[in-house]
Amino acid sequence: LFELADRGTALVVVSSEIEEVLGLADRVLVMRRGRLVLDAPRSGLTPHAVMQAAFGTGEGKGNAA
């Protein structure tokens, strides 16, 4: 994956493992009930903020579209 990304290839990774997502992604998007609820750069995101967005327990951090 990293070799492809280094060559400029865009990759979409779907995972429920938050630590995996935060370890791989440059940008994190979270969908809940078919809607985009979080769209933010990985830097500064915490697992807690991603969980809040995923479960609707807070606004999370970033921009919803």
Side-chain angles (χ1 to χ4, degrees):
L1 293 177
F2 293 111
E3 184 179 318
L4 288 170
D6 287 343
R7 288 191 270 166
T9 303
L11 302 167
V12 175
V13 176
V14 177
S15 178
S16 62
E17 299 295 326
I18 294 172
E19 295 298 332
E20 178 181 42
V21 169
L22 293 176
L24 289 173
D26 293 322
R27 177 161 219 82
V28 176
L29 286 79
V30 175
M31 294 186 74
R32 183 178 67 247
R33 295 184 177 186
R35 296 190 159 202
L36 183 62
V37 295
L38 177 69
D39 177 0
R42 176 200 53 200
S43 61
L45 274 181
T46 64
H48 182 72
V50 176
M51 290 294 288
Q52 282 184 316
F55 290 100
T57 58
E59 292 301 313
K61 179 180 176 184
N63 299 317

